[in-house]
Amino acid sequence: MNVLETITRLRVELNQHNYNYYTLDNPTISDYDFDIKLKELQELEAKHPEFFDENSPTLRVGGTITKNFETVMHEYRMYSLDNSYSKEDLQDWEIRCKKIVGDVAIQYTCELKYDGASISITYENGLLKRAVTRGDGFQGDDVTNNIKTIKAVPIKLKGDYPEKFDIRGEIVLPFAGFEKMNQDLIEIGETPYSNPRNTASGSLKLQDSAEVAKRPLDCLLYSIIGNNLDLNTQDEALQKARDWGFKVPNQSKLAKNLEEVFQFIDYWDVHRHDLPYETDGVVVKVNLIQYQNELDYTAKSPRWAMAYKFKSEQVSTILNSISYQVGRTGAITPVANLEPVQLAGTIVKRASLHNADQIEKLDVRLHDTVFVEKGGEIIPKIIAVDLTQRKPNSEPTKYITNCPECNTELVRIEGEANHYCPNFYGCPPQIIGRIQHYISRKAMDIEGLGGETVALLFNAGLVSNYADLYELQKEQIIPLERMAEKSAENLVKGVQDSKNVPFERVLYALGIRYVGETVAKKLAKHYKNIDAIAKASLMDLVLVDEIGEKIAQSVVMFFENQENRLIIERLKNYGVQLEINAENDTSVSDKLKGKIFVVSGVFEIYSRDDLKKAIEANGGKVGSSISSKTDYVIAGDNMGPSKLEKANKLNVSIINEFQFNDLLNG
Ligand code: AMP
Ligand code: ZN
């Protein structure tokens, strides 16, 4: 088999696996084997730029940067939908339809109304050509590179598709993925996203498509548009779209009459809470395309479709009190304690209030009657106060000024939403939270020790930081609640075993604010050991790829602290891994040793990631912005003019990817 054949075979295979996994939910290969094949293809493509294909599955990982999204006209306008809120509304609508198409039996397709960001994707000769946001309905932004990273969007179609058409759908962020993203943010002390819909639509406009690729977005399709499509009904269109490889949720249903439409609505009004993503209604469409054509459009929306909006589930109840929780990083979260009330099938006792601004905006006061709503999040939120029920002597809520756990005065950093308790070393939930983070699965993964036991150990005065764990003796642990000889032994053994955990995970485990898993990896790789990181200046840190000022500042602050330095010294003495293990080091040469590179623009033979990998693997460093310390700028297409100017001004060598290749091989 020649190279092109191998490349083609891998592309076909990987596309099929993506389809099985993301569209059919039915993978037939392990993630590991998938990655191996993907790597193989990536390597072949890098070696053979002549076989580049803008539709290769390797582009799913992203890596292109879009500074300004190009505005494009929609060939077919993207209309809104008329809304209805009751069955009577729908009956009236049917009467209006019959005035136009005549007194005939009308069939409808019922689909769920997915709550995300709408997208219009153009396919030509079975290939994804362009994806455009809705914009104002007439023109939107070209977000093709970002959309290509969403694995459920087919890049190449199957079967008997029309030569050219647009397909419309909704980009959604399923709850599970959304929760996971927020979990990761909370873990590093960042503010979580407020809801899946905004996060999905924000994702489409991210400049770095590699960032989009990391987000667990999905794309659900619902409409095909074009000339001479040879489609007779909406139902048939949905089925065809499925056949061509699109993800069209199969909850959609053909209803013979309005009665069946109502049954669909009643069913999903209850069961929509079981779906993996957010829906806010049902879209009812006249099934026959011929009728659709006769009904046509108003200035704003099709006359042949109607959205039926579910009533959002809301109840009113009384706010009994507000309590304040202190997180691992000291962030304070206010929580509303409510008079228990039934909402969407569960009893609600608590609701989130987010932060001081939110409390002020809602102007919620103790003993107010409040409206509570269940959105995508697990914990419901207060959306408004029923002012008609307010007690005459009520007073505005005063946000706490001191930590509820240690009474230290709270601080609020300019530009941040949350208050913090600055008593890093004396505030119990912060101490316990830090140790819990240290032992957690993605960090040191200490077997035989759980979060509750950490609290027990702390309360018994046995540990007050994670270094203390390494001093624990079996005899000290046994007397604790629910502990026995065996469990105490396991705990001590688990702690000792953690000395084998590699440096990058130890660095993450330290719980430095904003240093999540990815940042920890970057820092470990760049500096190789803890002492180098501790010594690094702010200036030096921000030159590391992907390390921004906020992270750099937090790292510097962490190591400036005497107490942290002592703890780290102790960890070192216990034998915890505080430097990169030579065996795990992936450098292949020292050729670029000491050289600092900045990568800018779009490349032909390398992806940006590959370039960065190659630099680091050969001893160089990747900086994020051009400074006098930069040795080389590797410039691709579309390098920004301001960068060019800066590089010239500072006399930094500008090379292209081929010259970089020579540098490596020469
Ligand atoms: P609205 O924004 O309320 O005018 O509703 C129109 C939007 O609903 C469209 O732009 C689509 O993005 C979205 N939508 C979600 N699901 C569907 C569906 N099954 N059929 C048509 N539109 C849908
Ligand atoms: Zn405190």
Side-chain angles (χ1 to χ4, degrees), residues 175 178-179 194-196 278 373-379 381:
F175 294 129
F178 176 72
E179 302 283 347
S194 67
N195 65 55
E278 216 160 0
E373 189 177 290
K374 215 167 191 169
E377 304 74 34
I378 289 169
I379 177 158
K381 52 183 162 205

Side-chain angles (χ1 to χ4, degrees), residues 67-84:
K67 282 275 179 250
N68 294 303
F69 293 94
E70 193 192 340
T71 308
V72 270
M73 278 304 271
H74 291 295
E75 189 171 343
Y76 305 93
R77 183 176 158 193
M78 288 180 88
Y79 284 90
S80 288
L81 288 172
D82 261 351
N83 286 325
S84 58

Side-chain angles (χ1 to χ4, degrees), residues 54-55 60 120-132 142-145 147-150 153-157 167 246:
E54 59 174 2
N55 292 313
R60 298 279 201 190
S120 179
I121 316 179
T122 305
Y123 283 83
E124 275 176 37
N125 302 313
L127 295 178
L128 192 163
K129 264 266 118 42
R130 188 136 84 169
V132 183
D142 183 334
V143 290
T144 311
N145 287 328
I147 293 299
K148 276 188 183 169
T149 68
I150 302 174
V153 175
I155 278 178
K156 206 172 171 149
L157 303 182
I167 187 159
F246 292 102

Side-chain angles (χ1 to χ4, degrees), residues 24 121 127 146 185 268 278 283 314 349 437 522 622:
L24 301 183
I121 316 179
L127 295 178
N146 285 348
L185 284 175
W268 285 109
E278 216 160 0
V283 184
Q314 254 181 33
K349 296 185 196 132
H437 171 75
K522 291 258 167 203
V622 183

Side-chain angles (χ1 to χ4, degrees), residues 266-502:
D266 289 341
Y267 181 84
W268 285 109
D269 199 359
V270 178
H271 289 90
R272 67 192 163 112
H273 299 294
D274 307 332
L275 291 167
Y277 38 75
E278 216 160 0
T279 51
D280 60 346
V282 166
V283 184
V284 188
K285 298 172 186 170
V286 170
N287 190 40
L288 208 58
I289 307 276
Q290 182 205 326
Y291 289 166
Q292 291 188 3
N293 292 338
E294 287 172 35
L295 287 161
D296 211 15
Y297 294 82
T298 68
K300 207 183 122 261
S301 46
R303 282 198 198 86
W304 46 263
M306 187 61 92
Y308 173 90
K309 291 272 177 125
F310 292 130
K311 282 171 211 68
S312 66
E313 296 195 51
Q314 254 181 33
V315 284
S316 67
T317 186
I318 297 189
L319 172 66
N320 287 332
S321 64
I322 297 177
S323 47
Y324 297 86
Q325 294 175 344
V326 187
R328 159 173 81 81
T329 57
I332 308 289
T333 322
V335 176
N337 300 305
L338 306 168
E339 192 56 37
V341 64
Q342 182 91 23
L343 172 65
T346 54
I347 304 237
V348 171
K349 296 185 196 132
R350 285 144 47 93
S352 68
L353 279 166
H354 300 295
N355 52 48
D357 289 343
Q358 181 73 6
I359 292 178
E360 200 180 309
K361 203 168 103 199
L362 292 167
D363 184 23
V364 282
R365 306 178 182 191
L366 281 193
H367 313 302
D368 267 348
T369 298
V370 293
F371 294 108
V372 181
E373 189 177 290
K374 215 167 191 169
E377 304 74 34
I378 289 169
I379 177 158
K381 52 183 162 205
I382 293 182
I383 47 163
V385 173
D386 185 351
L387 290 175
T388 62
Q389 305 286 323
R390 176 166 280 170
K391 306 276 179 308
N393 55 355
S394 84
E395 289 196 18
T397 298
K398 284 205 193 69
Y399 204 79
I400 48 165
T401 53
N402 291 67
C403 176
E405 302 279 345
C406 72
N407 207 31
T408 306
E409 194 175 331
L410 300 180
V411 294
R412 189 179 199 182
I413 299 167
E414 173 106 2
E416 288 194 10
N418 287 320
H419 284 72
Y420 285 90
C421 166
N423 185 13
F424 204 68
Y425 294 97
C427 185
Q430 295 191 56
I431 299 172
I432 296 173
R434 254 190 330 269
I435 304 174
Q436 286 171 335
H437 171 75
Y438 184 82
I439 64 159
S440 65
R441 207 174 43 80
K442 285 194 285 182
M444 302 302 271
D445 194 16
I446 296 188
E447 237 173 273
L449 179 55
E452 281 172 36
T453 310
V454 169
L456 284 179
L457 291 168
F458 171 80
N459 291 330
L462 292 175
V463 296
S464 59
N465 60 56
Y466 34 70
D468 292 342
L469 293 171
Y470 296 89
E471 303 267 1
L472 284 173
Q473 304 291 324
K474 193 172 84 181
E475 295 70 31
Q476 299 174 298
I477 305 168
I478 294 174
L480 294 180
E481 227 179 289
R482 272 176 283 133
M483 278 290 168
E485 170 110 19
K486 187 76 197 147
S487 43
E489 247 166 46
N490 286 343
L491 197 163
V492 174
K493 178 169 184 304
V495 170
Q496 297 308 318
D497 287 350
S498 75
K499 293 176 185 172
N500 298 323
V501 170

